[in-house]
Amino acid sequence: MGLYSFVNAGNFNWTVPVHIAPNASIDPAAALRILQAASVTGNGVLTGTLTALIGNDGSSLIGNDGATLISHDGGSIISEHGGGVISNDGGSVVANDGASVVANDGASVISDHGVGLVASGAGNLQATTRMKTATVAAAPGYTQNGGETNLSACTLVGSVTLNGGVLSGTGIIQGDLTNNGGYISPGGSSSPGRLAVSGNFTQGANGTTIVKRGGPGGGQFDQLQVGGVASLGGKLDIKTINGYTPDPADTFSPLGFGSVSGTFASVSSNAQVTVAPTGLLTSIDPTKPNPTNGQPLNIATRLQIQSGDNVLIAGFIITGPAGSTKKVLIRGIGPSLANFGVAGTIPDPFLELHKSDGSVVTNDNWKQAPNVAEIPSGFAPSNDLESIIYTTLSPGNYTAILKGAHGEAGVGLVEAYDFDTASTAELANIATRGFVNTGDNVMIGGFIIGGTEPANVLVRAIGPSLTQFGVQGALQATTLELHDSNGSVISNEGWRSTQESEIQATTIPPTSDNEAAILATLVPGNYTAIVRGKNNTTGIAVIEAYNLQ
């Protein structure tokens, strides 16, 4: 006999004794029918015969239909973004390991350490449109130290302390909100939203609130509504989105409150802000630029370089208006990696830069570069056999190829640095192709997000779909990890398993379900992406990082 307990949104507690004979056949479709026909006694005990508890048909009380864990009245009480409700991708959606309240992608989404909920790493709490309502109890409080918490469709019960990362989405906080050093950005990157705080709001000297306006209407700008006292400090950034040009005489109120104390220490130069008794009155000067988004300043990829087609091939895109340029430095590193404990380095790397007009620039040994005297201090390779190209590029597509000067194999690293952050041209994305091995010889991509605001970044690990482009020996299933400088990790195996709708909305999802992808809002800092073959398989793969600004 088994004893099962069900909790339905805190209203009913059904305790059901179930007898299952050895080797009995269970009809999964009968569960819902039996429960509909059963009755609930006054003390909350479900009476009637339960034929099936867990079904695989999407209609049982607990289903494995890829979306619904428990369904009630046609809407999901608990839902998941596709894939298994409980998956084997490194962490269950719900785990009972004695520490995690909810776990996802191999790391805790929300962890209970006895002092409230503590979150770090991107993707801490993500709600999708499939979740009609999600209520998260966080008493005595929810502390975020990094990453992103998206409150869309969520009510978070408890006070929130934001020490780092991004708080976004459209949702409700039933408690206080304190921003000590993170970014509050209602809505999404290109869509306004509303965050409601029932208690008080306090922003310290290191906190930032970002407000977007995409039109003149009331629902076309971000709102932070505070029921109690707003204690203002730190930074307020105002920006227009979706091509909107505001009338400088129009005002709007992105922050409302019961009462207020203090003021923001700094406001972006394009905005005029007046602190009124119950809210901000804000106008935007369209002749002044928006605050700049975060952008990649350095992109690098390390892997095992072989011969033939299995060299390291790094493609990158520079975007910008006609006539703009970008000063970049590209390095091909090999022997000096041994100083950092890397075994089997490529002894003599050779670097090629293929431009969008078909021309090619090459360098074998960096001291032989024609503009060697112009190389910025601190960026010259430490080994004379390593390569460098320092040049000015116009917007377009470029490919850097790193290989052995004489056909040698070994571990190499290609790096691209942005040396002109003031330019209107941007280093938009990089895609690196190479052979993914096992152990330390997997594909490792690193990038730096610069600036003062977060950046929207999509990282993809492409493998099986390469075969349609004639690539032989492509990796048949990829896994992806994204590490930040604080040690937090997000992982993915099969992009539809976690952020399917969000990644589809970027218009550039992977074309194979066996390819991995991570979409994240990343604060300025250092990040590392690691691509492996699922189950330690090997083959050719591509890692891509897109700056979605």
Side-chain angles (χ1 to χ4, degrees):
M1 181 180 74
L3 186 64
Y4 300 90
S5 179
F6 301 92
V7 179
N8 178 13
N11 298 322
F12 300 100
N13 191 343
W14 299 332
T15 304
V16 186
V18 181
H19 297 271
I20 301 176
N23 302 317
S25 176
I26 299 176
D27 176 13
L32 189 59
R33 297 197 301 270
I34 295 300
L35 287 173
Q36 289 172 337
S39 61
V40 180
T41 65
N43 62 3
V45 177
L46 178 70
T47 62
T49 303
L50 182 64
T51 304
L53 174 66
I54 300 177
N56 193 31
D57 59 351
S59 63
S60 302
L61 177 65
I62 300 179
N64 187 21
D65 61 352
T68 303
L69 175 59
I70 303 176
S71 63
H72 174 68
D73 294 336
S76 299
I77 296 174
I78 303 175
S79 69
E80 200 263 338
H81 307 236
V85 172
I86 298 178
S87 62
N88 62 355
D89 61 348
S92 300
V93 174
V94 180
N96 185 19
D97 58 2
S100 300
V101 177
V102 182
N104 184 20
D105 295 338
S108 295
V109 180
I110 305 175
S111 299
D112 188 347
H113 300 282
V115 291
L117 301 176
V118 180
S120 61
N124 297 320
L125 178 63
Q126 295 287 344
T128 70
T129 54
R130 293 184 182 179
M131 299 183 70
K132 306 302 181 185
T133 303
T135 300
V136 181
Y142 174 83
T143 301
Q144 180 181 332
N145 296 322
E148 179 184 14
T149 294
N150 187 322
L151 283 182
S152 292
C154 281
T155 297
L156 202 156
V157 182
S159 295
V160 175
T161 300
L162 186 63
N163 294 325
V166 182
L167 177 67
S168 63
T170 295
I172 300 171
I173 297 172
Q174 292 185 358
D176 297 334
L177 171 60
T178 302
N179 184 11
N180 291 324
Y183 297 84
I184 297 174
S185 181
S189 60
S190 59
S191 58
R194 183 179 186 272
L195 291 175
V197 179
S198 65
N200 301 321
F201 167 59
T202 302
Q203 180 161 286
N206 296 319
T208 299
T209 296
I210 301 171
V211 172
K212 306 177 297 295
R213 191 178 190 192
Q220 294 177 289
F221 58 85
D222 290 335
Q223 298 179 66
L224 177 61
Q225 294 296 323
V226 179
V229 179
S231 301
L232 305 181
K235 186 178 181 181
L236 173 66
D237 277 356
I238 307 291
K239 57 179 60 180
T240 56
I241 58 173
N242 303 330
Y244 175 60
T245 301
D247 185 332
D250 288 345
T251 61
F252 65 105
S253 182
L255 173 60
F257 35 71
S259 60
V260 64
S261 66
T263 188
F264 292 104
S266 65
V267 176
S268 55
S269 61
N270 63 333
Q272 294 291 327
V273 174
T274 301
V275 180
T278 59
L280 296 186
L281 293 178
T282 306
S283 62
I284 302 176
D285 184 347
T287 66
K288 295 184 178 179
N290 277 333
T292 57
N293 295 318
Q295 58 179 305
L297 300 182
N298 156 251
I299 304 174
T301 305
R302 181 193 116 183
L303 55 71
Q304 174 81 23
I305 298 172
Q306 300 183 2
S307 58
D309 292 336
N310 294 331
V311 294
L312 196 162
I313 304 173
F316 59 93
I317 297 175
I318 293 176
T319 61
S324 62
T325 59
K326 173 67 67 177
K327 192 79 171 182
V328 298
L329 184 146
I330 305 167
R331 303 199 310 179
I333 304 299
S336 62
L337 294 176
N339 300 330
F340 302 94
V342 178
T345 62
I346 193 165
D348 187 3
F350 184 88
L351 182 63
E352 299 175 357
L353 177 63
H354 296 249
K355 297 186 177 183
S356 49
D357 61 5
S359 61
V360 181
V361 180
T362 64
N363 178 254
D364 184 3
N365 303 322
W366 71 272
K367 288 185 176 180
Q368 298 172 358
N371 59 345
V372 64
E374 300 175 16
I375 295 174
S377 176
F379 286 87
S382 58
N383 189 291
D384 290 354
L385 295 177
E386 294 173 330
S387 308
I388 200 166
I389 295 174
Y390 184 49
T391 187
T392 300
L393 302 176
S394 301
N397 300 328
Y398 298 88
T399 302
I401 298 176
L402 188 64
K403 56 187 177 182
H406 309 285
E408 307 95 331
V411 178
L413 173 73
V414 65
E415 303 170 305
Y417 292 88
D418 181 348
F419 271 91
D420 191 6
T421 57
S423 170
T424 54
E426 291 187 1
L427 191 60
N429 79 288
I430 190 169
T432 304
R433 172 187 140 177
F435 187 84
V436 177
N437 216 313
T438 58
D440 292 336
N441 293 326
V442 294
M443 183 180 287
I444 303 174
F447 56 92
I448 298 173
I449 300 296
T452 59
E453 288 200 0
N456 249 3
V457 176
L458 175 66
V459 183
R460 308 194 315 176
I462 304 301
S465 62
L466 295 176
T467 56
Q468 62 186 297
F469 300 101
V471 176
Q472 301 295 316
L475 200 57
Q476 292 305 297
T478 63
T479 69
L480 177 63
E481 297 175 1
L482 182 60
H483 300 245
D484 69 11
S485 56
N486 297 318
S488 299
V489 184
I490 331 166
S491 61
N492 175 256
E493 179 184 302
W495 67 275
R496 291 185 185 274
S497 66
T498 52
Q499 298 173 286
E500 179 179 5
S501 60
E502 294 92 335
I503 292 174
Q504 284 179 329
T506 68
T507 71
I508 48 174
T511 57
S512 170
D513 292 354
N514 288 324
E515 293 169 334
I518 294 171
L519 177 64
T521 302
L522 304 178
V523 301
N526 300 327
Y527 298 87
T528 302
I530 300 175
V531 177
R532 294 184 173 90
K534 184 178 179 180
N535 298 325
N536 284 323
T537 52
T538 63
I540 296 174
V542 171
I543 185 172
E544 301 170 313
Y546 292 87
N547 185 20
L548 302 177
Q549 305 302 333

